[in-house]
Amino acid sequence: MKYYIITGEASGDLHASNLMKELKIQDPEAKFRFWGGDLMLAQGGELVKHYRETAFMGFLTVVKNLGKIKANFSLCETDLLKFNPDVLILVDYPGFNLRMAKFAKKHGIRVHYYISPKIWAWKESRVKKIKAYVDRMFTIFPFETEFYQKHNFEVSFGGNPLLDAIENRPNKEEGFPDFIKRNKLGEKPIIALLAGSRKQEIERVLPVMLECVDSFPDHQFVVAAAPSIDAEFYASVVGDQNVQFVYGQTYDLLQQAKAAVVTSGTATLETALLRIPQVVCYLTGGGKLLFTIGKRLLKVKYISLVNLIMDQLIVKELIQHTCNKEMIIQELNQILFNKEYRIQMLYNYQLLNEKLGGAGASARFAKMIYEDLQR
């Protein structure tokens, strides 16, 4: 069968590549054409556009690149019809993908959505488009089933593919001595800093994280640097602070860390699945007024995926005015030195893992997709 896949960011490239790997097992004759990245390309098929060329985030960035965005839509529509796939598989990336879902539906192409947009937190009205243009929705969080049931739309939950990515990560057996030797780090225990992968969020949150460095002289702070961000940018943010960097090794770094300070997002779940105690940070631009408005628009109780999935406060969330030096230090002291507090967080992580269904999600989703097409 012929599969056309669209994703617009690094995490989508990761999950789509694992899905492609499993689809080839289900369907040895599978042919792929896609918008994605290097990991998908390694699975075979034709890459139309790399996500580096399509990732336009933020209102001003979108406005400045409207011409490119329109050209991408036009290219994708033409290319989709030319390839004429048995199914269009959309991976998150709702601004682009919901429009393509409408186009595909109009032209009689079956639409599968793999990894739902986070409409349960923001822009819930998009559910109308999903119901109208998506034939099957495959979800990765258990609470999404209840959300869609509320809107009378059946979905298929198959577990979370992050468990597969973590289970199959390279350097899984690497020890602390080898890791610090390979990355030219010191011998002190590591506190990992995960400040995000976009320049705007790094500029906002990393300086606040760095204010804590001098309060933990017996630890070394190591930043999980995003491969897409150049060293000069990080240097401009960090200045003369005593921190180290490792590029493109987030899982390797977390595996060796004693604790982590993490910007809200997928990284909070990855940190939990790797069993590293963490404190979650979130800062928005635009000041207190914009934050207050945004908070009223949110539909969820928590900002971190860990707490959302468990529906209780498992990891501390420091948001906006509480995201400061004193509060981060206080929570780091708890997860590093309060034995009972640390053990309880690790126990909750185990419950989280069980709730997500364990490894093998990519294979389960591939089987569901292929069986749907067979029918």
Side-chain angles (χ1 to χ4, degrees):
M1 290 188 180
K2 295 162 69 176
Y3 304 84
Y4 199 101
I5 306 174
I6 305 174
T7 185
E9 55 192 3
S11 61
D13 179 38
L14 170 64
H15 298 320
S17 69
N18 285 328
L19 180 68
M20 291 166 67
K21 178 181 178 182
E22 297 297 337
L23 279 171
K24 288 190 292 185
I25 296 173
Q26 294 290 326
D27 180 9
E29 302 300 318
K31 293 181 173 60
F32 299 106
R33 192 167 178 84
F34 51 87
W35 295 51
D38 299 334
L39 296 176
M40 295 172 72
L41 190 58
Q43 292 300 325
E46 298 292 329
L47 174 65
V48 182
K49 278 257 184 178
H50 200 286
Y51 65 79
R52 285 193 297 264
E53 300 178 68
T54 63
F56 302 110
M57 304 298 294
F59 178 75
L60 289 177
T61 304
V62 169
V63 170
K64 290 178 181 177
N65 291 278
L66 276 177
K68 292 181 181 178
I69 294 170
K70 289 180 179 179
N72 284 338
F73 277 127
S74 180
L75 170 62
C76 193
E77 290 169 353
T78 302
D79 194 63
L80 179 68
L81 292 181
K82 183 178 179 181
F83 187 63
N84 190 29
D86 293 285
V87 64
L88 169 64
I89 301 175
L90 307 171
V91 185
D92 200 356
Y93 195 42
F96 192 92
N97 276 340
L98 284 175
R99 175 167 168 173
M100 290 308 304
K102 180 179 180 179
F103 179 83
K105 190 73 172 178
K106 178 182 176 182
H107 288 85
I109 297 172
R110 191 157 181 77
V111 178
H112 285 179
Y113 218 124
Y114 175 54
I115 304 182
S116 169
K118 297 175 180 63
I119 59 173
W120 33 264
W122 189 259
K123 294 187 177 180
E124 187 171 348
S125 61
R126 281 176 165 171
V127 73
K128 296 177 183 177
K129 294 181 179 179
I130 288 173
K131 291 176 68 174
Y133 310 132
V134 175
D135 296 294
R136 287 288 300 273
M137 171 65 76
F138 301 95
T139 58
I140 63 172
F141 300 118
F143 62 81
E144 290 175 318
T145 301
E146 183 179 345
F147 169 83
Y148 277 107
Q149 281 177 345
K150 182 179 70 174
H151 292 281
N152 298 311
F153 188 65
E154 184 180 348
V155 300
S156 302
F157 171 69
N160 196 295
L162 272 179
L163 290 159
D164 295 342
I166 288 171
E167 178 68 23
N168 300 319
R169 67 190 186 275
N171 303 318
K172 183 179 176 180
E173 306 301 325
E174 185 175 47
F176 184 77
D178 291 334
F179 174 75
I180 60 173
K181 181 179 180 181
R182 179 165 61 85
N183 288 284
K184 298 180 174 61
L185 301 174
E187 297 182 355
K188 293 179 181 179
I190 290 172
I191 297 176
L193 301 181
L194 279 65
S197 59
R198 301 186 185 105
K199 287 186 176 182
Q200 286 182 325
E201 63 183 352
I202 293 169
E203 285 179 317
R204 280 197 296 265
V205 77
L206 185 55
V208 180
M209 293 178 174
L210 294 173
E211 291 178 2
C212 310
V213 171
D214 293 339
S215 298
F216 296 90
D218 295 329
H219 291 75
Q220 57 179 325
F221 284 74
V222 183
V223 176
S228 57
I229 307 296
D230 57 75
E232 289 75 15
F233 174 79
Y234 278 113
S236 70
V237 176
V238 171
D240 59 358
Q241 286 279 8
N242 183 26
V243 293
Q244 305 297 321
F245 294 86
V246 294
Y247 276 85
Q249 300 181 64
T250 300
Y251 288 178
D252 294 4
L253 172 61
L254 284 172
Q255 182 174 289
Q256 307 302 336
K258 291 294 183 182
V261 187
V262 186
T263 299
S264 179
T266 304
T268 63
L269 181 55
E270 292 172 312
T271 303
L273 294 176
L274 283 162
R275 310 296 205 278
I276 308 304
Q278 65 182 298
V279 51
V280 177
C281 295
Y282 184 70
L283 282 170
T284 65
K288 187 174 182 180
L289 177 61
L290 189 59
F291 169 72
T292 302
I293 294 171
K295 189 176 180 182
R296 289 178 179 175
L297 293 173
L298 285 174
K299 305 289 185 180
V300 292
K301 290 188 290 185
Y302 306 108
I303 63 165
S304 71
L305 287 171
V306 178
N307 295 337
L308 280 168
I309 294 166
M310 298 301 291
D311 196 26
Q312 60 177 302
L313 194 66
I314 302 300
V315 295
K316 187 76 170 180
E317 298 180 350
L318 302 180
I319 307 171
Q320 209 67 1
H321 62 283
T322 62
C323 184
N324 57 52
K325 173 184 177 181
E326 291 73 23
M327 293 295 288
I328 296 175
I329 290 172
Q330 179 179 312
E331 187 62 16
L332 276 176
N333 276 317
Q334 286 282 78
I335 60 180
L336 284 169
F337 307 120
N338 184 329
K339 187 176 180 180
E340 290 184 4
Y341 190 88
R342 184 179 179 90
I343 289 174
Q344 183 62 52
M345 187 178 291
L346 293 173
Y347 173 73
N348 287 329
Y349 282 174
Q350 178 58 38
L351 297 180
L352 169 74
N353 191 301
E354 294 170 3
K355 194 167 186 177
L356 289 175
S362 300
R364 291 192 289 272
F365 283 120
K367 188 172 187 290
M368 285 189 281
I369 289 171
Y370 184 65
E371 288 179 349
D372 178 87
L373 297 177
Q374 292 287 87
R375 287 195 296 269

